[in-house]
């Protein structure tokens, strides 16, 4: 039916949006009953919060046309529809002439100039970015030499914070696209991209999924690692290394569309990342025990954090040095106050940020000394994925940099890691895996969602899987899904951290569902997936389609007041793309549900006032 968009929108909000949020939610006090009148006199009667929110979304997104069937969609169909037709597109970015200025914006840093760093070795990229920025004198192109980057160069870059270029496709004369997490983010994030890609592939969004994989490969080639994100202040650290699992999943999904030479190119990059980044004993490898750690090559306070973020720790050192917190921060950053203890704290803090779990009590002040269960599970998966790719596509071996790589060689690497994990990370008494502090030579007996990741990687026996599920899952599974950790002891003093209890995050859910399914825990998988998906679907039903970054899984609520707020929780009319990996978790989680569970979630549409 055809409607007067402006008039319908005005009348709908005036009647139903009683709190002035430009959304229709359960918190509004309107009659929850609205009649739309079309230009030809036809009417559409809409009742209830959920259907009224659908109506608002359709009116806002439309151009005077209104499809009643879209308003009447049940929740599971509706969320899938919005992701396919709106959310992924809204979250997509491309560093082209039309978008370069907006993309360079970063609310965390400000300067009169907008800096774009382009690898000096990428001649085609340099030519393109110089061409499209010629009309923007406020943009300065800075050529970046090949890694490794000296401390002096990093200090210079820190004075001119900007964006790092991504891959330019000469044939298309355009940079490749990527998907941002959501909200304020304009940059491409490392481990977010893997989980987002799982959602994209579920929706057969080939170009976007391929673009992000190609951009990740570009980062490893020109910046030395898969970056935390393509901002200049992230040149010193990576994130959980999902590039190889991403490559394996993507190529197996789309092998018929890609030549084997494409796989060979990316497999070489995967091997380079493994050897040069993660198996480097100067940074990421505990060579004496054969296990890996997270590590950031930068020094001092991470500058990308929000004001006041480190006040808890700075106040302790400010008191020690007899200055205010503000003066302590300024003088420490300027090198006027030197303190080895604070230096060491930031070594651990930076490493924790590379873990993606920024921040968590589990890794606070210990991360750089810790062989984490999650990282070593991912490393084992990398080794077995590379072995499987070689076995399946290069059975005669894969030659790279003068070395003949075979499946047997990579299986041997995986076997060595398996043995090290058994020796250092498995706790026989507790029946679970724990992080290992290599400096203290002891396990950190911390109940965490990450302790379950060996199931995802296939890094444990069936008996160990059973004992781990028994000892960990029950302590973590809440009404709204799996919490990041068990409740934090009251004896641990410090700020509330967003990767601790009672908060839950999409990547943990996705990996643990896959692990449970891999080892035959179907009932537990259904239960965990349903807890998470029903919480999100209820939020979409009650709060105008909302899909944010994280949740309080104990309360089953998106209303969180913890580090960095909750990206994606505030919007007008229709969610601005939701949040990348949370979107993916909904699509992947729905596929894990029984028919009865799906029916129950769809019933929320009519049971919500």
């Amino acid at each position: 039916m055809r409607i007067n968009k402006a008039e319908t929108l005005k009348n709908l909000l005036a009647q139903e949006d009683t709190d002035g949020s430009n959304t229709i939610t359960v918190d509004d006090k309107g009659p929850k009953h609205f009649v739309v009148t079309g230009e030809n006199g036809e009417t559409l009667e809409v009742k209830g919060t959920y259907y009224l929110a659908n109506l608002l979304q359709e009116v806002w997104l439309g151009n005077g046309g209104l499809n009643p069937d879209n308003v009447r969609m049940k929740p599971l169909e509706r969320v899938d529809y919005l992701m396919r037709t709106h959310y992924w597109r809204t979250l997509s970015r491309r560093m082209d002439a039309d978008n370069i200025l907006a993309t360079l914006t970063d609310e965390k840093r400000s300067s009169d100039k907008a800096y774009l760093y382009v690898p000096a070795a990428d001649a085609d990229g340099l030519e393109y970015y110089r061409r499209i920025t010629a009309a923007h004198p406020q943009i300065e192109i800075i050529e970046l030499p090949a890694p490794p980057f000296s401390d002096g160069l990093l200090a210079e870059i820190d004075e001119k914070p900007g964006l790092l270029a991504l891959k330019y496709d000469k044939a298309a004369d355009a940079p490749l696209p990527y998907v941002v997490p959501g909200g304020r983010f304009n940059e491409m994030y490392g481990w977010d991209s893997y989980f987002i890609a799982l959602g994209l592939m579920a929706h057969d969004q080939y170009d976007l999924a391929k673009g992000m994989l190609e951009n990740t490969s570009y980062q490893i080639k020109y910046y030395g690692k898969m970056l935390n994100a393509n901002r200049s202040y992230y040149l010193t650290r990576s994130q959980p290394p999902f590039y190889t699992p991403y490559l394996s999943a993507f190529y197996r999904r789309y092998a018929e569309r890609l030549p084997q030479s494409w796989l060979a190119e990316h497999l070489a990059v995967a091997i380079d990342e493994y050897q040069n980044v993660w198996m480097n004993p100067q940074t990421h490898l505990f060579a004496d025990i054969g296990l890996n750690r997270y590590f950031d090559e930068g020094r001092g306070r991470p500058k990308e954090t929000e004001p006041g973020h480190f006040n808890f720790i700075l106040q302790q050192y400010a008191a020690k040095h007899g200055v205010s917190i503000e003066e302590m921060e300024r003088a420490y950053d300027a090198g006027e106050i030197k303190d080895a203890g604070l230096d060491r704290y930031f070594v651990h803090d930076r490493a924790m940020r590379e873990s993606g779990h920024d921040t968590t009590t589990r890794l606070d002040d210990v991360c750089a000394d810790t062989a984490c269960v999650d990282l070593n599970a991912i490393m084992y998966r990398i080794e077995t994925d590379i072995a499987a790719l070689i076995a399946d596509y290069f059975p005669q071996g894969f030659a790279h940099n003068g070395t003949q790589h075979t499946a047997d060689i990579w299986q041997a690497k995986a076997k060595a890691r398996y043995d090290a994990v058994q020796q250092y990370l498995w706790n026989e008494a507790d029946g679970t895996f724990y992080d290992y502090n290599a400096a203290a030579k002891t396990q950190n007996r911390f109940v965490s969602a990450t302790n379950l990741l060996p199931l995802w990687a296939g890094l444990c026996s069936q008996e160990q899987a059973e004992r781990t599920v028994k000892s960990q899952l029950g302590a973590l599974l809440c009404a709204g899904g799996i919490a990041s950790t068990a409740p934090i002891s009251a004896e641990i003093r410090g700020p509330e951290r967003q990767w601790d209890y009672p908060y839950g995050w999409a990547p943990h859910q996705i990996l643990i569902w896959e692990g449970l399914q891999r080892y035959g825990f179907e009932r537990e998988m259904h239960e965990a997936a349903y807890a998470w998906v029903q919480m999100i679907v209820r939020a979409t039903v009650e709060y105008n389609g909302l899909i944010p970054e994280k949740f309080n899984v104990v309360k089953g609520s998106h209303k969180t007041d913890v580090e960095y707020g909750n990206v994606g929780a505030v919007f007008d009319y229709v969610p601005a793309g939701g949040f990348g990996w949370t979107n993916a978790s909904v699509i992947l989680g729905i596929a894990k549900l029984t028919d009865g569970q799906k029916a129950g979630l769809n019933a929320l549409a009519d049971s919500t006032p």
Side-chain angles (χ1 to χ4, degrees):
M1 59 189 294
R2 297 295 303 176
I3 61 171
N4 183 316
K5 176 178 177 176
E7 182 179 344
T8 303
L9 190 65
K10 176 184 176 181
N11 293 338
L12 177 60
L13 290 175
Q15 177 179 300
E16 299 292 347
D17 175 26
T18 60
D19 61 7
S21 64
N22 289 328
T23 61
I24 299 174
T25 76
V26 292
D27 296 334
D28 287 306
K29 306 303 180 183
K32 301 294 174 74
H33 181 190
F34 187 83
V35 178
V36 182
T37 302
E39 292 179 349
N40 295 322
E42 68 273 46
T43 61
L44 174 65
E45 186 177 21
V46 184
K47 296 181 180 180
T49 297
Y50 167 71
Y51 293 111
L52 287 166
N54 287 356
L55 174 62
L56 176 61
Q57 293 165 12
E58 290 298 310
V59 173
W60 177 256
L61 291 171
N63 191 27
L66 179 64
N67 184 343
D69 290 339
N70 288 348
V71 176
R72 299 187 188 105
M73 280 181 176
K74 296 299 184 182
L76 300 189
E77 180 186 10
R78 179 71 183 169
V79 72
D80 185 88
Y81 168 79
L82 284 176
M83 285 184 198
R84 288 179 186 273
T85 61
H86 181 60
Y87 291 1
W88 295 132
R89 184 175 68 250
T90 302
L91 294 177
S92 297
R93 302 286 187 274
R94 197 188 294 262
M95 295 173 62
D96 57 15
D98 293 335
N99 300 291
I100 190 67
L101 272 176
T103 305
L104 283 167
T105 300
D106 179 10
E107 66 178 31
K108 295 183 290 296
R109 304 295 294 268
S110 62
S111 67
D112 294 334
K113 299 284 288 186
Y115 299 103
L116 177 62
Y117 291 85
V118 185
D122 180 14
D124 291 335
L126 266 172
E127 187 281 326
Y128 173 79
Y129 287 113
R130 290 192 188 284
R131 172 161 39 99
I132 69 167
T133 59
H136 302 292
Q138 68 270 52
I139 298 178
E140 180 179 337
I141 301 289
I142 300 178
E143 294 187 30
L144 194 66
F149 308 114
S150 68
D151 289 344
L153 176 60
L154 290 171
E156 290 179 22
I157 292 172
D158 197 48
E159 293 302 314
K160 296 181 176 181
L163 203 67
L164 301 166
L166 295 175
K167 186 173 182 179
Y168 163 69
D169 181 356
K170 187 175 183 179
D173 191 31
L176 293 176
Y178 60 98
V179 177
V180 299
R184 66 178 181 267
F185 300 109
N186 279 323
E187 57 269 58
M188 175 180 161
Y189 278 76
W191 74 319
D192 291 69
S193 294
Y194 170 69
F195 298 99
I196 290 169
L198 295 179
L200 292 173
M201 287 188 284
H203 281 154
D204 200 24
Q205 297 283 323
Y206 172 82
D207 289 334
L208 280 175
K210 183 172 182 285
M212 287 204 297
L213 186 61
E214 296 272 12
N215 280 325
T216 304
S217 174
Y218 181 92
Q219 292 176 32
I220 296 169
K221 179 178 179 180
Y222 287 109
Y223 305 130
K225 57 181 71 71
M226 178 194 79
L227 299 173
N228 185 152
N230 64 307
R231 291 279 171 192
S232 58
Y233 44 72
Y234 290 134
L235 278 168
T236 59
R237 67 172 175 262
S238 184
Q239 274 198 317
F242 282 100
Y243 172 69
T244 301
Y246 187 171
L247 171 63
S248 178
F250 182 80
Y251 191 76
R252 292 182 185 282
R253 173 78 164 80
Y254 294 110
E256 75 286 351
R257 300 181 64 170
L258 295 161
Q260 192 165 315
S261 60
W262 184 93
L263 174 61
E265 175 187 345
H266 286 271
L267 184 57
V269 173
I271 292 172
D272 286 344
E273 181 198 34
Y274 174 88
Q275 294 176 333
N276 299 334
V277 179
W278 297 100
M279 299 306 286
N280 182 346
Q282 302 302 312
T283 57
H284 290 89
L285 176 67
F286 292 122
D288 55 336
I289 63 174
L291 294 173
N292 289 89
R293 66 169 177 171
Y294 294 110
F295 188 77
D296 182 328
E297 297 162 51
R299 299 178 182 179
R301 182 177 65 90
K303 306 302 192 297
E304 77 275 7
T305 52
E306 297 175 340
H309 182 85
F310 289 110
N311 282 359
F312 172 78
I313 189 70
L314 287 173
Q315 68 182 359
Q316 301 174 39
Y317 287 91
K320 173 184 173 182
H321 291 277
V323 297
S324 67
I325 292 176
E326 294 76 16
E327 176 60 14
M328 181 68 205
E329 181 176 291
R330 186 205 65 77
Y332 178 76
D333 287 350
E336 298 169 10
I337 292 179
K338 299 184 184 297
D339 194 296
L342 190 55
D343 290 344
R344 188 61 185 168
Y345 179 86
F346 285 126
V347 168
H348 290 305
D349 182 85
R350 284 175 169 272
M352 176 169 57
R353 294 176 191 282
E354 182 172 79
S355 80
H357 296 80
D358 48 337
T359 63
T360 173
T361 302
R362 175 174 72 96
L363 299 177
D364 187 48
D365 210 18
V366 296
C367 190
D369 291 336
T370 303
C372 294
V373 173
D374 45 308
L375 176 56
N376 285 282
I378 299 167
M379 294 301 298
Y380 180 81
R381 178 68 177 265
I382 290 171
E383 290 155 350
T384 55
D385 278 351
I386 291 177
L389 287 170
I390 292 173
D392 292 346
Y393 300 104
F394 305 96
Q396 303 306 313
F398 180 75
H400 177 56
N401 284 346
T403 299
Q404 187 74 1
H405 295 267
T406 67
D408 287 345
I409 289 173
W410 282 90
Q411 285 290 0
K413 294 179 187 293
K415 177 61 166 60
R417 185 174 305 277
Y418 184 96
D419 292 342
V421 166
Q422 297 300 316
Q423 180 176 352
Y424 294 102
L425 306 187
W426 175 252
N427 186 297
E428 179 65 22
D430 291 358
T432 189
F433 297 90
Y434 288 132
D435 296 340
Y436 178 78
N437 188 312
K441 299 188 185 306
T442 186
Q443 290 180 341
N444 181 9
R445 295 172 67 180
F446 201 105
V447 177
S448 167
T450 55
N451 295 341
L452 287 154
L453 264 58
L455 278 73
W456 166 79
L459 183 55
C460 57
S461 67
Q462 184 66 36
E463 179 186 359
Q464 286 177 323
E466 291 171 359
R467 296 187 65 195
T468 302
V469 169
K470 182 177 181 180
S471 69
Q472 301 294 294
L473 188 61
L476 297 167
L477 184 58
C478 302
I482 298 165
S484 296
T485 69
I488 303 300
S489 170
E491 297 176 0
I492 299 177
R493 299 179 61 190
E496 188 178 26
R497 300 182 182 276
Q498 64 179 355
W499 287 87
D500 284 354
Y501 180 93
Y503 304 106
W505 293 75
H508 288 165
Q509 319 301 316
I510 294 169
L511 296 174
I512 291 172
W513 298 339
E514 291 185 9
L516 291 171
Q517 192 167 35
R518 179 173 192 153
Y519 282 87
F521 298 98
E522 293 290 325
R523 179 183 60 80
E524 291 85 353
M525 182 268 291
H526 288 311
E527 181 181 4
Y530 180 76
W532 177 258
V533 175
Q534 66 84 22
M535 175 183 63
I536 298 177
V537 171
R538 184 176 295 278
T540 69
V541 168
E542 296 181 351
Y543 287 93
N544 209 109
L546 174 143
I547 301 180
E549 177 186 35
K550 57 182 175 279
F551 286 86
N552 181 322
V553 295
V554 174
K555 294 181 179 179
S557 174
H558 67 279
K559 297 180 180 180
T560 63
D561 183 18
V562 69
E563 296 173 304
Y564 305 110
N566 199 0
V567 180
V570 179
F571 56 89
D572 291 333
Y573 308 110
V574 63
F579 197 85
W581 61 21
T582 316
N583 293 350
S585 73
V586 176
I587 298 306
L588 299 172
I590 289 172
K592 304 290 187 189
L593 303 182
T594 66
D595 289 343
Q597 289 173 326
K598 293 176 185 177
L601 295 182
N602 279 327
L604 293 173
D606 299 304
S607 61
T608 301

